[in-house]
Amino acid sequence: MNSSNETAIEQLISNVSQVLLGKDKAVRLAVTALVAQGHLLIEDAPGVGKTSLAKALALSLDGEYKRLQFTPDMLPSDILGTSIYLPGSGEFEFRQGPIFTNVLLADEINRTTPRTQSALLEAMSEFQVSIDGKTHRLKRPFFVLATQNPHEFEGTYPLPENQLDRFMLRIEIGYPSMDVEREVLRTHRLGEPVNQLQPAMNIENLLKIQDEVREVKMDESIHDYVLQIVHATRDHEELSLGISTRGAITMMHALQAYAYVNGRDYVVPDDVKELAVPVFAHRVVVGGILRETNRERAASIIRGMLSTIAVPV
């Protein structure tokens, strides 16, 4: 592991942590998704720092960043772009939408309709978009940071399973402790600290780190440990949909990145325990009607599996 890259990772984490005080785990998980070439979904109640975390991470990179506030009347063309007819030449010209960027902040993604949500599918999985029969490659790196309020809130559209599956990690932030919240109040007296952030990593360095992450070593026993969890989700009586093969591959990449972010060039079993819920819980479907209660039940089931499956030595 390159020592300069390790230092760059810590500087990035430190930079973001200036905004999201007392939430080191959430910040590290966010950086994990970034260096793993995945995408991140932040789900929590309003006002706990979802957008602040997403914006802080975006501004900490010296790349192109765009933010979209999702609304019920948003159309797919508002994200992807559209072809404009030019009367002078008699031809159509494609005008790029905000998705052509390095970091896209999709704020309150579940405020818009499933049709518009699905406009992100191809971009997130294949790093390209197809419009009017033509394929347009996206910039590299391309990272989607999406926030959403819990589904029980008014005016939200639950993300379909195939959309959720494109997010490597789904994380929560939670309320801060009283001591941390006191410091938050103090730092916000003169405005939003996130607006004062300066880049802590350039795009070229990030691309090198993303390539280096794939070289993190993983023992066969870790593979087997992950597969035992995956197969247990498929056989669980409360789950109507278990983890797919793509979900297992996503976990492999997330584990490599998490080890890297924590200064190691190898994966340990505790990494699996830390990532099981953020990677797997949004990929399973609990039988029943109420999705908001099933969300918590899915996380509980995953934790229960971890307590019963033998940890590799």
Side-chain angles (χ1 to χ4, degrees):
M1 184 174 179
N2 188 304
S3 59
S4 63
N5 288 342
E6 184 178 359
T7 301
I9 289 290
E10 289 303 321
Q11 289 176 341
L12 178 61
I13 292 172
S14 175
N15 208 48
V16 177
S17 297
Q18 295 177 43
V19 173
L20 203 71
L21 302 177
K23 296 294 180 180
D24 180 73
K25 181 177 180 179
V27 172
R28 285 184 179 274
L29 289 175
V31 173
T32 294
L34 173 67
V35 302
Q37 302 180 51
H39 306 287
L40 178 68
L41 178 63
I42 310 172
E43 180 181 273
D44 217 321
V48 296
K50 298 188 303 298
T51 302
S52 293
L53 170 57
K55 190 174 180 181
L57 188 55
L59 293 176
S60 294
L61 297 172
D62 187 19
E64 192 173 351
Y65 153 66
K66 293 178 182 176
R67 175 181 176 179
L68 272 177
Q69 182 68 47
F70 280 64
T71 57
D73 60 348
M74 181 176 282
L75 299 174
S77 59
D78 295 328
I79 302 172
L80 305 179
T82 187
S83 294
I84 304 295
Y85 180 70
L86 303 177
S89 63
E91 297 179 349
F92 285 89
E93 180 180 88
F94 177 65
R95 301 287 175 86
Q96 293 183 350
I99 201 169
F100 289 87
T101 186
N102 294 125
V103 180
L104 178 67
L105 170 51
D107 212 2
E108 296 188 301
I109 189 172
N110 62 336
R111 290 288 183 192
T112 196
T113 62
R115 178 191 175 201
T116 303
Q117 292 170 4
S118 65
L120 290 168
L121 279 175
E122 182 184 12
M124 293 174 67
S125 58
E126 300 179 37
F127 301 96
Q128 65 181 35
V129 295
S130 299
I131 301 171
D132 297 331
K134 294 183 179 180
T135 298
H136 304 268
R137 298 294 302 177
L138 297 174
K139 298 180 180 181
R140 188 169 181 259
F142 173 66
F143 181 49
V144 175
L145 271 162
T147 72
Q148 72 169 1
N149 294 322
H151 300 133
E152 59 266 31
F153 278 75
E154 293 283 343
T156 59
Y157 300 84
L159 293 174
E161 280 70 28
N162 61 343
Q163 180 76 59
L164 282 170
D165 195 48
R166 266 53 176 195
F167 289 101
M168 173 172 278
L169 299 173
R170 182 184 70 181
I171 67 172
E172 299 176 356
I173 295 176
Y175 292 110
S177 67
M178 184 176 291
D179 288 341
V180 170
E181 200 157 16
R182 184 181 298 112
E183 182 64 15
V184 170
L185 296 180
R186 187 190 68 78
T187 58
H188 279 70
R189 280 184 300 185
L190 300 178
E192 289 286 340
V194 68
N195 295 327
Q196 308 302 318
L197 281 186
Q198 298 298 316
M201 181 183 293
N202 61 47
I203 292 300
E204 291 73 20
N205 198 12
L206 174 59
L207 290 173
K208 291 177 182 178
I209 289 173
Q210 288 181 336
D211 291 337
E212 196 171 88
V213 161
R214 295 298 171 89
E215 299 175 8
V216 171
K217 296 183 286 292
M218 195 180 313
D219 192 80
E220 286 296 324
S221 63
I222 301 292
H223 289 163
D224 292 340
Y225 187 30
V226 170
L227 288 176
Q228 287 183 62
I229 301 171
V230 167
H231 282 260
T233 65
R234 299 172 185 173
D235 298 331
H236 198 281
E237 59 183 9
E238 288 189 57
L239 299 180
S240 58
L241 181 67
I243 302 298
S244 67
T245 302
R246 180 166 59 193
I249 294 171
T250 299
M251 172 60 101
M252 294 294 103
H253 293 158
L255 287 169
Q256 289 177 300
Y258 191 68
Y260 191 98
V261 167
N262 285 282
R264 287 180 275 107
D265 63 355
Y266 57 90
V267 176
V268 298
D270 280 348
D271 295 334
V272 179
K273 293 182 178 180
E274 290 291 335
L275 293 184
V277 170
V279 175
F280 284 157
H282 64 288
R283 289 184 161 83
V284 299
V285 175
V286 180
I289 300 175
L290 300 177
R291 290 189 60 165
E292 59 270 19
T293 55
N294 289 347
R295 185 181 66 254
E296 296 301 325
R297 182 58 186 150
S300 178
I301 289 172
I302 298 296
R303 294 189 189 99
M305 290 175 179
L306 293 174
S307 66
T308 59
I309 297 174
V311 180
V313 177

